Amino acid sequence: MKILGIIGTKDTGKTTLVTRLIKGLTDKGYKVGTIKHTHGRFDFPGKDTEIHRKAGAKLVIGAGKETFFFSPKEKNIKWIISTIPFIEEIDFLIIEGFKKMEFANISTSIENEFTIKKVDPFSLKDGEFKEILQLTEKRTYGLLLGLNCGKCGFESCEEFARAKVKGDADDVNCKSQFKRAMLRINGNPIPLNPFVQKIMSETITGMVKSLQREETEIDKIEIIIKW
């Protein structure tokens, strides 16, 4: 899952650009997810969700044709990103806001060292947008956790990220992204190289198969340990 940030000051077209990127990437066959940063609360005033929350509920969940969660605690962005693979497999995650994050981003106003392009969403022509889609495919990368394994050919994750956003590593991707196994301790994702992921995956899968359950095909195994 590659991550693209859309940053900029208020009323500079961030949501306009996000909407267009979602459609553009989806039309190319990619699965897209989004995260929206807000400085206020997400809630539905006057609805049951607000009534439940005011009554003292620690977690409010809506379940029906759609599912949503309201938590009174702000979650770390890395926790949110690392949770997504447990919910849905997507190719690109577009994050609106969070301008201080070290992800490749497209800016609608103020640039930073991870900006791959600055644009005006309101005057963006088709040719320019096509270029943005290509940059998104080539220069974005996933959640980096500082493993510094060197398998990408760079000495550190930071060096890889900086090269990637500049276009100096278009065909290079992080080799230690979540593919076979994920470990989180106290909600924080722990970096695992591909070899460790493979060992964990094969060990746990072997244990589960030895239980001789009726299910013949294993798609995903989840284990939560608390003490």
Side-chain angles (χ1 to χ4, degrees):
M1 179 179 73
K2 294 184 174 182
I3 302 167
L4 175 68
I6 304 299
I7 66 171
T9 52
K10 188 177 180 180
D11 298 326
T12 56
K14 293 191 298 295
T15 302
T16 298
L17 180 58
V18 169
T19 303
R20 194 169 178 183
L21 280 166
I22 294 170
K23 186 177 186 310
L25 289 169
T26 300
D27 287 347
K28 297 190 76 168
Y30 294 113
K31 296 179 181 179
V32 183
T34 64
I35 297 177
K36 165 71 176 178
H37 186 216
T38 178
H39 297 287
R41 286 181 175 271
F42 287 107
D43 212 337
F44 301 110
K47 300 296 184 179
D48 290 345
T49 53
E50 183 184 47
I51 295 171
H52 293 182
R53 183 173 58 81
K54 287 185 174 180
K58 298 300 182 183
L59 182 67
V60 178
I61 302 172
K65 292 184 178 180
E66 297 178 325
T67 303
F68 60 84
F69 296 80
F70 283 124
S71 171
K73 296 180 181 179
E74 182 176 356
K75 299 295 185 181
N76 180 284
I77 186 62
K78 289 185 178 180
W79 181 90
I80 297 172
I81 293 172
S82 65
T83 299
I84 290 173
F86 290 102
I87 301 172
E88 187 73 36
E89 291 186 9
I90 61 175
D91 301 304
F92 285 94
L93 176 65
I94 301 175
I95 304 177
E96 182 179 339
F98 293 99
K99 57 180 176 291
K100 293 184 179 180
M101 295 192 314
E102 297 180 348
F103 297 127
N105 70 71
I106 296 173
S107 173
T108 59
S109 57
I110 301 172
E111 302 177 66
N112 63 29
E113 58 188 322
F114 293 96
T115 300
I116 59 178
K117 187 77 172 178
K118 179 182 176 182
V119 302
D120 177 4
F122 302 118
S123 62
L124 197 60
K125 295 181 173 57
D126 289 342
E128 296 173 309
F129 181 68
K130 184 177 180 181
E131 179 191 357
I132 287 177
L133 286 178
Q134 292 173 341
L135 289 174
T136 298
E137 290 175 302
K138 293 180 178 180
R139 300 194 186 183
T140 53
Y141 46 88
L143 181 63
L144 304 178
L145 298 172
L147 182 61
N148 300 328
C149 66
K151 294 184 181 298
C152 61
F154 294 90
E155 292 186 1
S156 68
C157 295
E158 181 180 356
E159 184 181 334
F160 162 78
R162 295 183 185 281
K164 193 72 172 172
V165 297
K166 291 179 181 178
D168 295 333
D170 279 350
D171 298 322
V172 179
N173 291 301
C174 175
K175 305 296 183 182
S176 299
Q177 295 295 300
F178 164 61
K179 288 183 175 66
R180 301 284 299 275
M182 177 187 292
L183 173 65
R184 293 198 300 190
I185 298 178
N186 296 330
N188 299 309
I190 305 300
L192 301 174
N193 65 41
F195 176 74
V196 175
Q197 288 191 36
K198 180 181 178 182
I199 292 297
M200 288 183 61
S201 173
E202 292 181 352
T203 301
I204 299 299
T205 302
M207 291 170 60
V208 171
K209 287 182 177 179
S210 72
L211 298 175
Q212 297 182 334
R213 295 182 59 83
E214 293 181 1
E215 293 85 353
T216 58
E217 184 176 342
I218 297 175
D219 179 52
K220 180 170 62 176
I221 300 170
E222 297 176 74
I223 298 177
I224 298 175
I225 300 174
K226 297 184 69 175
W227 70 85

